[in-house]
């Protein structure tokens, strides 16, 4: 969600598979959503407004439906509002308003949306879902996702590239969790055994997030050591002149 800017702080090169999926999926949805984005612009709606509404929809879908165990309908609502991520960016490009503010708003509200989704899972397992272990796993997914994002942002803020493709980054966390939740919700429509998909997905996300966090910490430690060594060599060279 939010308007894209030329630099989004993405130093790591994505895998070919991820790059192709992102390229073709975004190209398709851009063509589909461009007329709708143009319609909103003509009505005086700003990209920031779409970003805020999209996030509000995701939060509502997660915190209203998931705690009630309505995983199918909650995922449907969330998925509909997730498309605002493409609509607001499309609007920003049409208006020529790509900005640092848009990127900041985008990243900030993404964290809010992520927290709501895993918070919704945690509320379900803390309540009617009655599973303390899965409640804890959901909370770990929420917290680890925030920390994984922070490690990259913090590393880049001190001048490091943080050049690593983590095992489970934000896109993977959301796709695995939402797809599993949506299918798990079909249990209420009479599909047997499918409710176990969500617990499996949460464990996968939790373990993957932990691995990703370790990958990023190790990468930042190595890059920091290399940068410090290069700075010391530079100072030594200057002193010798």
């Amino acid at each position: 969600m939010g308007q894209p800017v030329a630099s989004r702080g993405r130093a790591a090169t994505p895998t070919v598979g991820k790059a192709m999926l992102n390229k073709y999926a975004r190209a398709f949805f851009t063509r589909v959503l461009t007329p709708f984005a143009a319609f909103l612009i003509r009505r005086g709606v700003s990209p920031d407004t779409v970003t805020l509404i999209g996030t509000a929809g995701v939060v509502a879908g997660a915190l209203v439906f998931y705690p009630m165990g309505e995983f199918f309908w909650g995922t449907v609502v969330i998925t509909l509002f997730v498309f605002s991520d493409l609509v607001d960016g499309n609007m920003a490009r049409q208006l020529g308003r790509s900005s640092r503010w848009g990127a900041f708003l985008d990243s900030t509200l993404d964290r809010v949306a992520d927290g709501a989704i895993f918070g919704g899972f945690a509320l379900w397992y803390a309540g009617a879902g009655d599973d303390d272990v899965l409640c804890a796993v959901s909370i770990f997914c929420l917290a680890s996702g925030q920390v994984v994002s922070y490690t990259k942002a913090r590393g880049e803020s001190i001048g490091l590239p943080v050049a690593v493709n983590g095992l489970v980054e934000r896109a993977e966390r959301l796709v695995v969790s939402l797809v599993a939740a949506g299918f798990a919700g079909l249990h209420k429509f009479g599909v047997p055994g499918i409710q176990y998909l969500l617990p499996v997905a949460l464990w996968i996300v939790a373990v993957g997030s932990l691995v990703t966090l370790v990958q990023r910490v190790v990468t930042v430690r190595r890059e920091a050591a290399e940068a410090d060594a290069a700075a010391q060599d530079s100072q030594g060279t200057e002193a010798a002149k």
Side-chain angles (χ1 to χ4, degrees):
M1 301 166 197
Q3 306 90 300
V5 292
S7 175
R8 296 296 297 271
R10 300 286 184 181
T13 302
T15 63
V16 174
K18 286 183 184 178
M20 289 179 63
L21 178 62
N22 184 65
K23 174 183 176 182
Y24 293 115
R26 280 188 173 270
F28 170 76
F29 285 113
T30 295
R31 288 195 298 271
V32 171
L33 296 174
T34 292
F36 180 59
F39 170 80
L40 293 177
I41 290 172
R42 290 195 299 272
R43 293 297 181 274
V45 179
S46 71
D48 287 350
T49 299
V50 174
T51 302
L52 291 167
I53 292 174
T55 301
V58 171
V59 170
L63 296 183
V64 171
F65 289 95
Y66 284 173
M68 297 190 299
E70 296 289 346
F71 295 118
F72 177 79
W73 293 115
T75 301
V76 169
V77 171
I78 290 169
T79 301
L80 290 174
F81 280 99
V82 160
F83 281 104
S84 66
D85 191 22
L86 299 177
V87 174
D88 57 12
N90 192 307
M91 293 172 66
R93 285 191 294 274
Q94 291 189 45
L95 292 169
R97 291 183 184 173
S98 296
S99 66
R100 291 179 176 84
W101 163 248
F104 171 80
L105 186 65
D106 180 29
S107 296
T108 300
L109 294 184
D110 280 349
R111 305 288 84 74
V112 173
D114 293 358
I117 290 170
F118 289 105
F121 293 146
L123 288 172
W124 162 250
Y125 287 116
D130 193 23
D131 193 316
D132 291 342
V133 173
L134 287 175
C135 177
V137 172
S138 300
I139 293 172
F140 179 82
C141 289
L142 190 163
S144 61
Q146 307 296 321
V147 176
V148 164
S149 297
Y150 174 79
T151 54
K152 188 172 185 67
R154 181 59 178 145
E156 291 173 344
S157 73
I158 58 176
L160 301 175
V162 196
V164 59
N165 289 322
L167 179 65
V168 176
E169 298 183 333
R170 182 174 187 262
E172 289 81 5
R173 288 196 304 273
L174 291 183
V175 169
V176 171
S177 301
L178 292 177
V179 169
F183 279 112
L186 295 177
H187 178 68
K188 287 199 170 185
F189 294 90
V191 180
I194 202 165
Q195 70 272 21
Y196 299 110
L197 277 178
L198 181 56
V200 171
L202 289 173
W203 277 107
I204 290 172
V205 171
V207 173
S209 296
L210 179 60
V211 171
T212 304
L213 178 59
V214 172
Q215 288 176 309
R216 290 193 173 179
V217 170
V218 170
T219 297
V220 169
R221 185 176 187 279
R222 174 179 53 78
E223 291 176 349
E226 292 172 352
D228 290 343
Q232 290 176 358
D233 289 343
S234 177
Q235 290 175 356
T237 302
E238 290 294 326
K241 289 182 179 180

